[in-house]
Amino acid sequence: MYADALKQHGKIFAVAPMIDWTDRHCRFLHRQLSRHALLYTEMIVADAIIHGPRERLLSYSPAEHPVALQLGGSDAGKLSEAVRIAADYGYDEINLNVGCPSDRVQSGTFGACLMRDPALVADLVAAMKQVSTVPVTVKCRIGVDDQEPAEVLPGFLDRMIGAGADAIWIHARKAWLQGLSPKENREIPPLDYELVHRMKRENPDVFLGINGGIADLGQAAGHLAVMDGVMLGRAAYQNAGLLAGVDELMEFGAVEKTRTADIDWLKLRDTMMAYADEVIASGGRLHHVTRHMVGLFQGFAGARRFRQILSAEATRPGAGVEVIAAAFAAVDIDGGPRAQPEEKRLAG
């Protein structure tokens, strides 16, 4: 997949894996906005795949491709078994989480705390590669706690490259495993883009992507001038309309603005209504779909009312897809987004 994408576009744009956010319904919405963006699942723990409800955890719409499965774990045998199981579901990539700083992840001795043991991570990657039929990649931080990123990151990357990792996505912040919440770890540790850029310059033949604090496609284009890939998280989720400019960015290397005006909003409405109907018919609730849609109309007149309708009405027992129609009707679609002050731009 990486070779094909790089051959076609030269670069990769991805939407970051985000726990409680990038579930299958979120990814289906994002795919309607971009054909080319690489989409990631939430992190799924290897034990859950082995012992839990596999179909619920791993199934997804074929429309989501290209889609990557992110795994959490620190046991080579369990991760290998999870990769074998996931093979039946046809993911385009398997990614190992070496960046999540939450207490729950630390208690399982995986996520960002694995940055302290690059030899173990290399063993995990090698074991996953041995059984995987698709690329195996790593998503990491630049360091943790008292580590000096400029000292530890080069060696960490060398280990991953030696283990055969097909790509490495680097969140350009250190993680503090004690004293900061996961939310604070996404905001407080300073970003060090230059270090990540330097890693790419020093490893010209290795796919390296960058993540962390990237707020819009203009910033993404700046990173793509140096990096092989760019990954947006919160910005892509909270202002999903910006994804409408991704295909232009990938095809032409630049985008003048977030092209929300070019979206066929009525087609999107109808597609999401049909999709939500299927979800409800299979036992889900409307809110499972619409909770990912509330950020669609950032800057549009009527956006606040759109959010209110989805937030209040979609959660009611028995709510149907007419709620989506009512929410869209509240927005001045033809008016397009208004310019936003610089300080109100979302951080990704």
Side-chain angles (χ1 to χ4, degrees):
M1 182 202 54
Y2 275 84
D4 291 343
L6 291 174
K7 182 178 180 181
Q8 184 177 4
H9 304 298
K11 305 287 182 176
I12 288 180
F13 180 101
V15 178
M18 291 173 280
I19 293 175
D20 296 328
W21 285 7
T22 51
D23 64 17
R24 59 182 300 182
H25 308 311
C26 171
R27 299 191 305 268
F28 183 87
L29 169 65
H30 286 178
R31 180 57 67 219
Q32 308 316 304
L33 297 164
S34 168
R35 299 186 311 278
H36 298 315
L38 171 61
L39 306 179
Y40 279 78
T41 69
E42 306 169 84
M43 182 190 68
I44 305 176
V45 178
D47 273 321
I49 292 175
I50 296 169
H51 303 294
R54 297 174 187 175
E55 189 65 20
R56 180 174 65 80
L57 292 171
L58 294 175
S59 62
Y60 59 93
S61 167
E64 294 173 36
H65 288 291
V67 59
L69 169 66
Q70 188 182 65
L71 295 178
S74 58
D75 182 282
K78 291 178 179 179
L79 283 166
S80 296
E81 180 62 17
V83 171
R84 290 190 189 96
I85 293 168
D88 291 337
Y89 291 83
Y91 284 95
D92 299 289
E93 171 193 329
I94 306 294
N95 178 266
L96 179 64
N97 185 314
V98 192
C100 181
S102 74
D103 292 341
R104 179 162 60 94
V105 167
Q106 290 184 58
S107 67
T109 321
F110 53 94
C113 62
L114 287 174
M115 293 292 300
R116 298 188 186 123
D117 195 346
L120 172 59
V121 181
D123 289 343
L124 300 178
V125 170
M128 294 165 68
K129 284 281 294 182
Q130 200 166 33
V131 298
S132 181
T133 58
V134 296
V136 172
T137 69
V138 173
K139 187 171 187 294
C140 65
R141 294 277 183 143
I142 59 174
V144 295
D145 296 337
D146 294 325
Q147 288 181 336
E148 176 50 56
E151 295 176 3
V152 301
L153 186 59
F156 181 87
L157 297 183
D158 286 345
R159 290 273 194 172
M160 299 309 103
I161 295 165
D166 293 285
I168 305 165
W169 291 93
I170 307 170
H171 186 139
R173 281 189 176 96
K174 182 189 286 191
W176 288 95
L177 301 179
Q178 301 294 328
L180 293 181
S181 69
K183 180 178 185 296
E184 289 170 331
N185 262 303
R186 292 191 297 268
E187 298 171 349
I188 292 177
L191 288 156
D192 193 345
Y193 292 141
E194 177 50 37
L195 173 61
V196 180
H197 289 179
R198 178 161 64 83
M199 294 300 98
K200 178 56 202 172
R201 291 193 293 269
E202 293 177 1
N203 295 276
D205 299 324
V206 179
F207 183 102
L208 295 182
I210 193 167
N211 170 231
I214 303 167
D216 54 44
L217 297 187
Q219 293 181 20
H223 288 293
L224 286 173
V226 181
M227 306 298 296
D228 300 307
V230 63
M231 179 182 281
L232 270 67
R234 284 170 292 159
Y237 185 89
Q238 296 169 344
N239 183 15
L242 70 77
L243 294 175
V246 168
D247 294 346
E248 182 184 24
L249 176 63
M250 294 295 98
E251 291 169 5
F252 302 108
V255 62
E256 293 183 5
K257 60 185 178 63
T258 301
R259 300 183 64 84
T260 52
D262 293 346
I263 299 174
D264 186 339
W265 290 110
L266 298 184
K267 179 181 178 182
L268 178 64
R269 177 200 64 189
D270 294 344
T271 299
M272 295 311 299
M273 288 175 67
Y275 177 78
D277 239 346
E278 294 177 1
V279 171
I280 293 169
S282 65
R285 297 181 59 190
L286 180 65
H287 177 62
H288 295 159
V289 176
T290 58
R291 73 187 187 95
H292 303 297
M293 299 171 62
V294 294
L296 271 177
F297 289 104
Q298 291 287 337
F300 282 72
R304 182 179 181 184
R305 180 59 182 150
F306 175 85
R307 294 191 295 270
Q308 288 173 339
I309 292 172
L310 291 187
S311 298
E313 301 299 325
T315 57
R316 298 185 188 278
V321 297
E322 66 278 359
V323 173
I324 296 177
F328 271 74
V331 181
D332 179 13
I333 292 173
D334 294 333
R338 298 163 295 196
Q340 296 293 298
E342 186 72 25
E343 64 270 16
K344 291 187 177 181
R345 289 185 180 176
L346 293 166

